[in-house]
Every structure is written in structure tokens, then in C-alpha cells.
Amino acid sequence: MNFPENLRYTKDHEWISLEGNVATIGITDFAQRELGDIVYVDINTVGKALNAEEVFGTVEAVKTVSDLFLPVAGTITEVNSALNDAPEAVNTDPYGAGWMVKVTVNNPADVEQLLDAAAYSALVA
Amino acid sequence: MKATPFTGKHIALGAKMAEFAGYNMPISYSGINDEHAAVRNNAGVFDVSHMGEFVLKGEGALDLIQRVTSNDASKLTNGKAQYSCLPNEQGGIVDDLLVYCIEENKVYMLVVNASNIEKDWNWIQKHNTGNVEMHNISDKTCLLAIQGPNATKILQPLTEIDVLNMKYYTFAKGVFAGVENVLVSATGYTGAGGVEIYFEDKDGAADKIWDAIFEAGKAAGIKPIGLGARDTLRLEKGFCLYGNDIDDTTSPLEAGLGWITKFSKDFTARTIIEQQKNNGVERKLVGFEMIDRGIPRHDYKIKDADGNEIGKVTSGTQSPSLQKAIGLGYVATAFAAFDSEIYVEVRDKLLKAKVVKIPFL
């Protein structure tokens, strides 16, 4: 499984990348494999300010459904609308075309507190 | 956790495994959508050896089966099988099952759900007042389902039994892949065609048969299929899953199983169920498809346009073949007609759906 070094991770299996105070967030390769074929990404929180670990959406696989948790506090500014027609991108390219939301984070330093690639891969090993 | 004789094969093939009914079972291999398509369009192999099998023998066997099941097993002749259910005293369902007539009036095999083996065994024993000889052969019996439009074509070279022309819900015993006494049955839980084969795992029979099937199907691209796709395949055809769509509290008539409920004979709770037939039932199991975007799941509430609760979802998924969200659920009878507008509560939102005919596909 693939866990890029440049990302940070949560124990809830989200990844986050940060540029300035804008974060891009999705679910990890481990998460997409566990869920199986993803058929719908349901996110209705654009414009909302949420705390860390609050639910920002839901991902539906054929067999199961799972909540999406925000890794750090911030405001959801954009959702990946391409997933409406191609939710399978979360399976095929979880760190690229399968990204889910962009977030203006309250405190960029929060991201540094999350798991790095080594710690996350140890968690799911 | 119990293993089937094929558990090692599933793990070696890289299947995602999970506990089901006490067994370590494959949930998926290449992915549910891919496996689903393989069965609809070609052929796939399911290990369903966790299912239970009972053999009932003796002069009273048919009488016992008639008393505990809802369908009319006296209609069965040698080599014919029948879908049926075991009603409980309240008119609910102990289990749904297949009844195989091995020898008319004398020898029958009942095939029951893995999660209900003990419950069913005790239930039938309790009604076995005529000392019918009962054998629980579940642990030693292997069951593979080879399903899909190309399944019988692939299997025919492995056996002298005429699987290509076998009629739905009939079966025959014979040599299969060099193994004797294999029961080949034109049944299944996918609506995609194909057979199910029952045999005893002795002298390496399980390995021999599994390997022969995959060798025979190699050129055609036969695939192993997990329980995940088994669920989406059966749901597209509107087949009930015990524990989801039917259980101890649902009557066969509510569940749309009137066609396996025959009042030409006496059976458990016949009076209650016959009354339901005459007076109508208050709720019915219906198929529905989502109009608003969302996926129905087991136990989600079903409401009317005003938000009044009118029922519950019992099964739901994104249908891989239809590419839309479908479900089964009980609704108040007033909402059971086709095209009725219903709403499924998904995470505090009411999403519009409409009642459609089943099978969905």
C-alpha cells in the first residue's frame, strides 16, 4: 500500500496536504481498500466551519458506509465535484483525482501534530 | 472461527476475509463490482460450504417436512427441489430453505442458512414426533455455487450429468471431476443461471473439484466470487436474505412469499397465515429505487411525504448492473403499490424513492 511521505494522516484514515493555510483532504489507500468499490461521496458542508474530528461528509461503498472526519479545525471551501460522476476515482487514485475537500485551516501548525507516513503505515500494518 | 475446506484457497487468492455465521469467509477478491459483472456476464464460483444440510430419512420424512414447511413438498418427485420456509408458531419465519427430494417419501435433504443451523435443527427435532431419522451433514458437506450464463458450458466437460440441459430446480447425482456422489443442482442465489454442487470433502475431493473447475474455466475467465457480490446479485433479483428481509417476526405473506405458502396441507401457524391471506396484511415487503441521490441501508427508516414513519429498509445497495441505488423494505400496505412515492431517511435527510416491481433486473 502507498502512503506518500509528503502527506499527514489520521487514525480515522484521512490524509491531508497543506499549502499555506489551504489543506486538501481525502481518504487513504488503506481506507479505500477496506471500503471496496466506492459509489457515492456525500459532502454537504461547503462553507461550514468545523472542529477537528467533526464529520464533514460520508463515503458510500457498495457494501458499507463510512463517515469522513476532518483532520484539523477549519472551514470547508470546496468539494471535489468530479466525484459526483466518478466516485471510483477514490479507489483508483486516492491521493490525486480522488481528493475530497479543500479546507482553510484555522491553525496550520495543527497539521504537524498528525501522523506522518511512517507512523500511519505502522498503524495500519 | 470455523474454516471451510476452501478457506486456504481464498486466502492464497488474496481475498478480503471476514467472519460470517461463525465461518472465515471471503467477502471479495477483485472487488464487488468486478465480481458482480463476472457472474452476470460470464461465470463465477462461490464457496458457500458454510450453509447447513440435513438429511431426513424414513417413512415419516415427508409428513414431517409437510408439517414444518410452508410449501407443498408432496409435489416433489425424485430429482426435484423446492424453495420453502419454516414458519414459527406466530406466523413468523424460522428460516428459509431448499427441500431436495432424493427419494420420494423416503429421503430428503434440507439446505438451510449457516446462521440458523442449530436453530433449525432443534426446531425440526422438536416436531419430529414420528421418529424420522435425521442427520446433520453440514460439517462434512461442501457446497460450491458456479453461477453465470457460461457456468454450465464450462462445467459440462467435467461430468456425465447433463448440466447444460438441466431444468431449473432439478438435480442429479453423479461423478464430477472424478469425484463420485456429487449432487449437481440447477439452483442458485444470483438469478444468473448455473448450478450448485454438493459433495463430501474426503480423499481431497474439495481441492480436486475446485482446481478442476478453475482449470476448465480458465480460458473463459471464470472468477472466484465473495459474499459481497453474492449480496448485490441476489438483491437485484429481489431474493430475500434471512436476517435482513425475513426473520422470526415477518410472515411469508408480508415478505411476498405467498407463492411458497400452500394451504392445501397443514403446517405450523397455517391458521394465522391463512387469516392474513383472507384479511390482508398491514405491511408488505417492496422493492424501491432511489430518485434522490443516496444509498438505502438495512434499518434506515422509510417515511411518507409528511415525515410519518411507514416502514423500514431491510436491504439496500448501489446496484452494479443498473447503476442506481435500490432497496427492499417493509412499508404500510397503503404505500406498497408500484410508483408509490416513499422517502428513505438517510443521515437525517429524507430522500425520495419510488416503489418498483421486483426483480429489479
Side-chain angles (χ1 to χ4, degrees), chain B residues 157-176:
Chain B
L158 298 176
T159 180
E160 286 177 2
I161 298 170
D162 185 4
V163 288
L164 269 174
N165 299 302
M166 193 175 260
K167 288 206 176 75
Y168 199 42
Y169 273 79
T170 67
F171 66 94
K173 272 190 186 189
V175 179
F176 186 98

Side-chain angles (χ1 to χ4, degrees), chain B residues 78-121:
Chain B
N78 293 357
K80 288 208 160 70
Q82 173 181 83
Y83 180 56
S84 193
C85 77
L86 300 172
N88 64 26
E89 307 284 3
Q90 293 75 40
I93 300 174
V94 177
D95 202 2
D96 61 340
L97 75 164
L98 292 183
V99 179
Y100 284 82
C101 178
I102 312 277
E103 196 186 338
E104 225 174 307
N105 293 314
K106 288 197 179 70
V107 186
Y108 294 84
M109 179 171 75
L110 310 183
V111 181
V112 304
N113 283 296
S115 48
N116 292 335
I117 292 173
E118 201 185 330
K119 180 175 82 162
D120 294 355
W121 178 264

Side-chain angles (χ1 to χ4, degrees), chain A residues 32-37 39-42 44 58 60-65 67 83-85 87, chain B residues 16 27 30-34 227-228 231-232 293-295 297 300 316-318 320 346-347 349:
Chain A
Q32 69 81 13
R33 280 182 202 221
E34 286 297 304
L35 289 166
D37 294 316
V39 292
Y40 182 35
V41 180
D42 186 12
N44 301 298
T58 312
E60 298 261 13
V62 174
K63 187 126 188 91
T64 186
V65 53
D67 284 333
L83 296 180
N84 274 332
D85 294 324
Chain B
K16 188 187 290 178
I27 302 303
S30 56
I32 293 176
N33 284 334
D34 184 65
L227 295 183
D231 192 45
T232 54
R293 189 144 188 201
I295 297 176
R297 305 282 183 188
Y300 284 7
T317 193
Q318 171 83 1
V346 181
R347 296 183 282 281
K349 275 188 297 185

Side-chain angles (χ1 to χ4, degrees), chain B residues 132-169:
Chain B
V132 172
E133 199 181 317
M134 285 177 59
H135 302 272
N136 183 351
I137 59 166
S138 304
D139 281 343
K140 63 176 182 182
T141 304
C142 297
L143 173 54
L144 294 176
I146 305 96
Q147 301 276 295
N150 295 329
T152 54
K153 213 160 36 191
I154 289 166
L155 298 181
Q156 188 59 77
L158 298 176
T159 180
E160 286 177 2
I161 298 170
D162 185 4
V163 288
L164 269 174
N165 299 302
M166 193 175 260
K167 288 206 176 75
Y168 199 42
Y169 273 79

